[in-house]
Amino acid sequence: MGAGHSHSHDTGHGHAHGHGHSHAHGAGHSHAPADFGRAFAIGVVLNTGFVIVEAVFGFLSGSMALVADAGHNLSDVLGLLIAWGASVAAKKPASARFTYGLKSSTILAAFANAMLLLVAIGAILFETIHRLMDPIEPEGWTMIWVAGIGIVINTATALMFMRGRKNDLNIRGAFLHMAADALVSVGVVIAGVAILLTGLVVIDPIVSLVIVAVIAWGTWGLLKDSVKMGLLAVPDSVDEAEVRGLLQALPGVEAVHDLHIWPMSTTETALTAHLIMPAGHLGDAFLREAARELEHHHAIGHVTLQVETSFDDCGKDCD
């Protein structure tokens, strides 16, 4: 049978594969991610400087909320470095050993970030419980000024990643982390004001617990999504039933079996399927059109289709 490769620029070529194996490759939405190297570099430098300032003033002023926020920001600096490294690795070309390239490093980066955040949560929680049992009066004004700087830095960093957040989950993770940090810093400012107005020392560790809850909420989503991707689950953006329906509706297709859909990275999706076509393979144009439909409707950019004339051809593999 013939095999056709179709690309978003509508250029295709056919070559023989043998035994009805047809491969179509559409890459419309799966273009290379935008280069955010400069944004990562600026974000890492700004946030590293802020972590140092925040931690020093947190310990000097006795504010657990500041120390908690510094710990969270430190994990985000490491997270930015990991996301940056993964975005660079994902652009490496395929090799004989890594035939998909290193695209899936973005999935590993998401999982590593979730693990880092869990460690940060544990450290913050331990120190916060200690402060609840042995409260120390923090300096409200120090909390307000230092956290205020954090709002500016985290907001500025988040804005640098804003334009890429819709097309690249790796970039979206960086954006959401920095945006969340800005909100957490707002919480620290509120705690400082509340302590100045009421004199209630317990407000500081309570705000720290709220910060832990915010981080934990975001971490759970990141951990869950990265584990699902690591287990090659169908991406949340893809409806398996709709994809199966699309393939079964193609001209000449009687049935579909061995349909597999999995994430190659946080931005690219692959699909393989066997099509039962009693009248035989309809040619390369059929493959290109099938690839275009899957790419256009479901953003699946790497498609491999095997054409078979009857269920007898698939042996024990039919599902």
Side-chain angles (χ1 to χ4, degrees):
M1 291 295 174
H5 287 251
S6 75
H7 300 274
S8 57
H9 300 298
D10 198 22
T11 60
H13 63 274
H15 58 271
H17 258 289
H19 193 61
H21 184 272
S22 303
H23 178 88
H25 188 174
H29 289 299
S30 300
H31 52 271
D35 185 8
F36 283 86
R38 187 163 177 259
F40 275 121
I42 294 173
V44 167
V45 170
L46 285 177
N47 283 275
T48 299
F50 179 59
V51 165
I52 295 171
V53 171
E54 195 171 30
V56 169
F57 277 94
F59 280 114
L60 292 178
S61 66
S63 168
M64 193 51 226
L66 275 182
V67 175
D69 197 33
H72 181 204
N73 278 314
L74 177 60
S75 69
D76 280 336
V77 169
L78 295 176
L80 282 175
L81 288 171
I82 290 172
W84 187 3
S87 70
V88 171
K91 295 172 187 173
K92 297 290 184 183
S95 67
R97 173 70 65 180
F98 299 99
T99 56
Y100 275 136
L102 300 176
K103 299 178 187 297
S104 60
S105 59
T106 53
I107 298 173
L108 293 176
F111 182 75
N113 273 325
M115 292 295 100
L116 273 176
L117 287 167
L118 286 176
V119 171
I121 288 172
I124 295 169
L125 198 57
F126 177 81
E127 187 60 31
T128 300
I129 293 173
H130 176 70
R131 286 299 176 93
L132 278 170
M133 298 172 63
D134 184 20
I136 299 175
E137 185 172 354
E139 297 178 16
W141 280 113
T142 302
M143 291 173 62
I144 293 170
W145 283 110
V146 176
I149 296 171
I151 294 173
V152 174
I153 290 177
N154 288 319
T155 301
T157 306
L159 289 175
M160 288 190 292
F161 295 107
M162 181 175 285
R163 69 182 173 91
R165 74 190 191 281
K166 292 183 179 179
N167 299 320
D168 188 338
L169 290 178
N170 200 32
I171 298 299
R172 188 184 306 176
F175 168 80
L176 291 176
H177 271 300
M178 304 323 297
D181 282 350
L183 292 176
V184 169
S185 293
V186 170
V188 176
V189 170
I190 292 173
V193 172
I195 289 170
L196 287 173
L197 292 176
T198 65
L200 294 176
V201 179
V202 74
I203 291 174
D204 180 58
I206 288 175
V207 168
S208 293
L209 290 175
V210 173
I211 290 173
V212 166
V214 171
I215 302 171
W217 178 261
T219 301
W220 170 245
L222 184 64
L223 180 63
K224 182 177 65 174
D225 291 344
S226 62
V227 167
K228 282 196 298 184
M229 281 189 157
L231 294 175
L232 305 183
V234 177
D236 290 339
S237 59
V238 178
D239 187 318
E240 191 269 354
E242 287 185 10
V243 171
R244 187 179 290 273
L246 184 154
L247 291 172
Q248 288 180 335
L250 292 173
V253 176
E254 182 179 291
V256 176
H257 68 92
D258 283 305
L259 172 60
H260 302 287
I261 308 167
W262 72 97
M264 291 176 61
S265 71
T266 52
T267 58
E268 299 181 56
T269 305
L271 173 150
T272 61
H274 293 216
L275 309 180
I276 303 297
M277 302 179 69
H281 181 26
L282 300 181
D284 292 352
F286 166 80
L287 293 171
R288 288 195 290 271
E289 182 58 29
R292 272 195 291 269
E293 287 290 303
L294 288 165
E295 192 279 329
H296 178 70
H297 293 290
H298 301 283
I300 298 174
H302 300 265
V303 176
T304 304
L305 300 173
Q306 179 164 314
V307 175
E308 297 157 350
T309 56
S310 71
F311 277 107
D312 294 335
D313 292 341
C314 64
K316 298 178 180 179
D317 295 329
C318 291
D319 51 25

